[in-house]
Amino acid sequence: MSATLYLPDSFDRAILAILQRDNATPQREIAEAVSLSAPAVQRRIKRLEDTGVIRANVAVLDQARLGRPLTIMVEVRVASEQPHRVAPFRRRVQEDPAVQQCYAITGDADFLLILTAASMEEYEAISERLFGNDDNIERFRTAVALSTLKRGLDVPLAQ
């Protein structure tokens, strides 16, 4: 997947840094912090959204407080990477709400999934949904997070 490179100027980088910390920061506060007018900040944010630099405005939820304390990483190896063979798996991953992230990767596995679950029993059901009855899944290997040292999606902003 190729993306068009966007090179933010110093104002855009300052705005993006604030929005990465707290996307609910009022535009007037952002304007004061970056020494621009509120309308200028609004235009810049709109351009950042229109160009796809800002992909979404979301709330980050505490999964443990919502009854989903488990974070599970799963490496998946497929027998064939031919598009028609892997398409059903990709579709299941896209549609399953327990899958928070999925990456096509290099190395011994073909995909890395980050899942959330309420219990190991629920993970067993998730793994059956995602991997069961798929003869293209060669193997999958599971690791359960014992604790979280860092969690985030912040992008380092080059100067």
Side-chain angles (χ1 to χ4, degrees), residues 55-74:
R55 293 183 51 189
N57 294 295
V58 299
V60 178
L61 307 180
D62 185 321
Q63 67 188 51
R65 288 180 184 236
L66 293 169
R68 303 190 66 78
L70 298 179
T71 298
I72 302 167
M73 285 75 52
V74 184

Side-chain angles (χ1 to χ4, degrees), residues 1-158:
M1 180 173 121
S2 177
T4 303
L5 183 62
Y6 180 87
L7 298 173
D9 64 16
S10 61
F11 289 114
D12 286 348
R13 285 193 304 273
I15 291 167
L16 290 168
I18 292 167
L19 293 176
Q20 283 193 121
R21 282 191 308 274
D22 183 359
N23 196 29
T25 304
Q27 290 182 3
R28 63 178 162 62
E29 285 183 30
I30 297 171
E32 290 173 20
V34 302
S35 301
L36 286 174
S37 68
V41 166
Q42 182 179 25
R43 282 190 302 273
R44 284 174 175 270
I45 292 173
K46 174 88 168 94
R47 185 179 69 242
L48 292 164
E49 291 170 341
D50 290 347
T51 59
V53 171
I54 296 176
R55 293 183 51 189
N57 294 295
V58 299
V60 178
L61 307 180
D62 185 321
Q63 67 188 51
R65 288 180 184 236
L66 293 169
R68 303 190 66 78
L70 298 179
T71 298
I72 302 167
M73 285 75 52
V74 184
E75 291 181 341
V76 179
R77 185 173 187 167
V78 294
S80 171
E81 293 183 55
Q82 292 178 334
H84 73 280
R85 293 284 315 273
V86 79
F89 170 70
R90 287 178 179 261
R91 191 169 30 261
R92 288 191 306 275
V93 164
Q94 288 287 329
E95 294 171 356
D96 199 297
V99 179
Q100 294 180 309
Q101 298 174 55
C102 179
Y103 302 94
I105 62 172
T106 61
D108 192 41
D110 299 302
F111 297 94
L112 175 66
L113 284 68
I114 310 295
L115 311 173
T116 181
S119 64
M120 288 307 293
E121 291 80 13
E122 183 187 13
Y123 172 64
E124 192 174 347
I126 294 166
S127 64
E128 183 59 32
R129 280 195 313 263
L130 293 175
F131 315 125
N133 299 318
D134 187 335
D135 64 354
N136 196 41
I137 303 294
E138 189 172 289
R139 70 169 174 78
F140 63 96
R141 185 169 55 191
T142 302
V144 179
L146 298 176
S147 65
T148 302
L149 301 176
K150 180 178 181 179
R151 178 180 300 201
L153 295 174
D154 290 6
V155 175
L157 299 168

